[in-house]
Amino acid sequence: MSVRRLAASLLLSLLTAVAPAQATPGRTVAPGRTVAPGRAPTPPRRSLLGGQHIDGRCPPRFRRCLAFTFDDGPEIVTTPRLLDLLDAHHVRATFFVVGHRIDGDEPHHRAQRNLLREIARRGHLLGNHTYHHVVLGNLRPSQIAYEIDRTGDLIARATGRRPELLRAPYGLLTAPRSLGAVAARNLTPAYWMIDTHDWEVTSAEAVQARFRQELLEHPHGGVVLMHDTRPWSVRAFPLIMQVVARRNAELVARGEAPFAIINLDQFVVPRGAEALRGAPLNRRGARGSRRR
Ligand SMILES: [Zn+2]
């Protein structure tokens, strides 16, 4: 076995030791510090520590938490409305971008590049979701490199910042050559815990019902998977926030910690003693909007 293949297999065993979110149902999270309701000081924007791993579980220092992620956009028809809804609910989210949507000179390409800048301007995080939305493990190394690097270049050119997060299409990131490509670029793979299944239904109410069910199955919450390319997903977001508000009211009435809405930069597994501390990103005051 060559040194390169040995390194790849070591990396694979290391990464598969932390199984993807969907492969760890019913896991428990060590009790953490209770998140007190109310405003907290604005935390500094921190590096996402590229090369680390986000498995989708709520970090132990939050007793219960949720982070919203939206994949496959930006989509000029649906994403702008979602941005307004996120602002109205004081939520900062992460958008995993498909490169071909922002690459080209057609009017919709230009509009979606502008939309990408607007997503970043409103304080959301951006991640790489490949160029063609393909299973990376099925590709040759040069194709894997193109999928990741072309998308990273496009996002960097549009926004001035290269994404540090990567979500593999379908969450499939097991082949040594695709894992190696992600690690070589110091990208942080991001999985999820709560799948709203908005990719297989066609109504906001069905997405809401699925989220409610998933929240029962994952009582500590975690990373939520949605798609900003689906109109019913956008319409479902306020309905999902109603579910969270009702659940939090029940929890607080029982003297238990409510779900904090945080973002993915709070999920990165810390390096050694450099524990990430600070208030949840989403507790930053939102501009002039009402509290619910
Ligand atoms: Zn996707």
Side-chain angles (χ1 to χ4, degrees), residues 15 27 43 46 55 71 73 121 127 137 146 184 205 207 209 213 218 250 272 291:
L15 287 182
R27 81 286 176 277
R46 59 171 65 87
D55 67 2
D71 291 8
R121 191 190 69 75
Y146 181 87
E205 291 72 22
V207 177
Q213 181 63 32
H218 304 287
E250 292 166 8
R291 287 187 74 82

Side-chain angles (χ1 to χ4, degrees), residues 71-72 96 98 129 133 167-170 225 227:
D71 291 8
D72 297 1
F96 286 97
V98 173
H129 198 40
H133 202 277
R167 175 170 283 156
Y170 317 103
L225 173 66
H227 297 84

Side-chain angles (χ1 to χ4, degrees), residues 73-95:
E75 166 55 58
I76 196 63
V77 175
T78 46
T79 308
R81 173 73 182 140
L82 176 64
L83 292 180
D84 290 343
L85 290 169
L86 289 168
D87 272 357
H89 289 85
H90 310 187
V91 171
R92 298 285 175 267
T94 301
F95 290 79

Side-chain angles (χ1 to χ4, degrees), residues 103-158:
D103 189 15
D105 291 324
E106 297 294 323
H108 72 278
H109 293 134
R110 284 200 290 272
Q112 283 168 182
R113 277 197 294 276
N114 288 335
L115 182 54
L116 196 72
R117 279 188 276 274
E118 180 65 9
I119 294 170
R121 191 190 69 75
R122 296 204 196 189
H124 305 292
L125 298 175
L126 294 172
N128 190 323
H129 198 40
T130 76
Y131 188 86
H132 291 107
H133 202 277
V134 284
V135 177
L136 289 173
N138 293 344
L139 304 180
R140 293 192 301 274
S142 62
Q143 293 172 309
I144 294 172
Y146 181 87
E147 290 291 328
I148 297 174
D149 294 338
R150 178 77 181 155
T151 305
D153 289 348
L154 288 163
I155 295 172
R157 207 177 300 154

